[in-house]
């Protein structure tokens, strides 16, 4: 059974810091991995999707890497801003329609 | 294209009442998903439609839950005889290929 773990559960950093969020999964037979952002009480916004054949994806200040063989992904946020404060969720799918989510990392960026 | 729409945004109901939620996916998306999210947890898969066919239901979806997607367009999720344990955020997502687009969710509170 696939399990997704995110570390740390919560993180508080001063504005301007570069930071790394971690995601690990127990079954390396994934089709793709997706990172999402969730603001309090809101739905999920897709940030980056990495196919199993890819090593990384970049969008603006965000960079996500994938090491499928070791069951790990990282989300790198450069020059963090208070507007980045949110919960970040990673999710994996084995190639079917269903994503398995981690419990998220709650990020607070202090001005 | 206005994204995935969910209605209502919030619903407070008394225990034992029936509730129905609606999801309008992105128009060209043929797949539609329902997830449930409780506080501090990642979303959990409930059910999935490809066009109008419901292809899988999670064991989380008890007999009190029913979902439909008539004509492969919008979808409804009905909960009968609500219980306090049904209190959660109900999220709808749609996709055409890889990756999801989520709606803003319906927050259900059962009192």
């Amino acid at each position: 059974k696939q399990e997704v773990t995110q570390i740390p559960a919560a993180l508080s950093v001063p504005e301007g810091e570069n930071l790394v969020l971690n995601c690990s999964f127990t079954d390396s037979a994934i089709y793709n991995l997706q990172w999402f952002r969730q603001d309090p009480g809101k739905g999920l916004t897709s940030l980056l999707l990495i196919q199993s054949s890819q090593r990384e994806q970049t969008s603006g200040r965000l960079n996500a890497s994938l090491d499928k063989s070791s069951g790990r992904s990282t989300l790198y946020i450069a020059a963090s801003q208070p507007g980045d404060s949110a919960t970040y969720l990673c999710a994996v799918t084995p190639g079917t329609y269903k994503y398995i989510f981690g419990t998220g990392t709650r990020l607070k960026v202090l001005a | 294209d206005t994204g995935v729409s969910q209605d209502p945004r919030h619903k407070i109901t008394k225990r034992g009442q029936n509730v129905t939620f609606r999801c309008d996916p992105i128009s060209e998306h043929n797949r539609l998903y329902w997830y449930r999210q409780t506080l501090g947890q990642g979303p959990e898969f409930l059910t999935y439609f490809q066009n109008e066919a419901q292809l899988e239901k999670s064991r989380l979806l008890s007999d009190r839950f029913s979902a439909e997607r008539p004509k492969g367009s919008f979808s409804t999720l009905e909960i009968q005889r609500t219980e306090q344990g049904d209190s959660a955020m109900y999220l709808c997502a749609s996709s055409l290929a890889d990756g999801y687009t989520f709606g803003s969710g319906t927050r259900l509170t059962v009192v």
Side-chain angles (χ1 to χ4, degrees):
Chain A
K1 177 187 172 188
Q2 179 72 272
E3 293 183 358
V4 180
T5 303
Q6 292 188 245
I7 294 173
L11 183 62
S12 185
V13 299
E15 182 176 7
E17 273 204 9
N18 301 326
L19 53 101
V20 174
L21 308 182
N22 296 293
C23 172
S24 61
F25 44 95
T26 54
D27 187 346
S28 62
I30 65 168
Y31 181 67
N32 65 49
L33 180 148
Q34 199 165 2
W35 281 93
F36 294 88
R37 168 187 172 136
Q38 186 173 33
D39 293 291
K42 302 293 178 62
L44 281 67
T45 300
S46 179
L47 298 174
L48 291 164
L49 183 148
I50 310 178
Q51 300 291 355
S52 62
S53 59
Q54 296 176 320
R55 298 286 293 182
E56 65 179 321
Q57 282 286 340
T58 298
S59 176
R61 294 182 295 107
L62 305 180
N63 176 276
S65 66
L66 174 64
D67 184 344
K68 199 175 79 160
S69 61
S70 67
R72 294 182 182 180
S73 177
T74 60
L75 179 67
Y76 176 83
I77 303 176
S80 58
Q81 303 170 358
D84 295 329
S85 298
T87 295
Y88 291 81
L89 293 149
C90 75
V92 298
T93 179
T96 60
Y97 39 84
K98 187 164 56 179
Y99 275 93
I100 308 300
F101 282 83
T103 54
T105 294
R106 294 185 308 279
L107 173 66
K108 186 168 186 178
V109 180
L110 305 171
Chain B
D1 177 7
T2 57
V4 178
S5 299
Q6 291 190 246
D7 184 70
R9 292 295 307 278
H10 304 275
K11 178 71 176 179
I12 300 174
T13 190
K14 292 183 178 180
R15 190 175 52 184
Q17 297 293 305
N18 299 342
V19 295
T20 300
F21 310 141
R22 177 179 170 125
C23 172
D24 287 272
I26 293 173
S27 56
E28 62 266 29
H29 286 185
N30 60 345
R31 297 175 187 158
L32 186 147
Y33 317 82
W34 286 98
Y35 280 74
R36 181 172 69 186
Q37 185 180 28
T38 54
L39 201 61
Q41 301 298 312
E44 295 176 292
F45 173 80
L46 293 179
T47 190
Y48 153 66
F49 290 86
Q50 180 151 324
N51 300 313
E52 67 274 12
Q54 187 175 18
L55 298 186
E56 185 176 339
K57 291 173 60 174
S58 164
R59 283 174 290 180
L60 293 174
L61 220 61
S62 75
D63 291 343
R64 296 184 296 105
F65 288 71
S66 63
E68 294 182 342
R69 192 183 183 197
K71 302 178 183 177
S73 56
F74 70 92
S75 176
T76 58
L77 178 67
E78 180 182 17
I79 309 175
Q80 296 182 327
R81 305 181 303 283
T82 52
E83 302 172 355
Q84 287 189 321
D86 297 331
S87 295
M89 173 79 88
Y90 290 84
L91 294 161
C92 176
S94 68
S95 72
L96 181 61
D98 295 334
Y100 281 4
T101 301
F102 274 92
S104 298
T106 293
R107 168 75 64 190
L108 173 66
T109 302
V110 182
V111 298

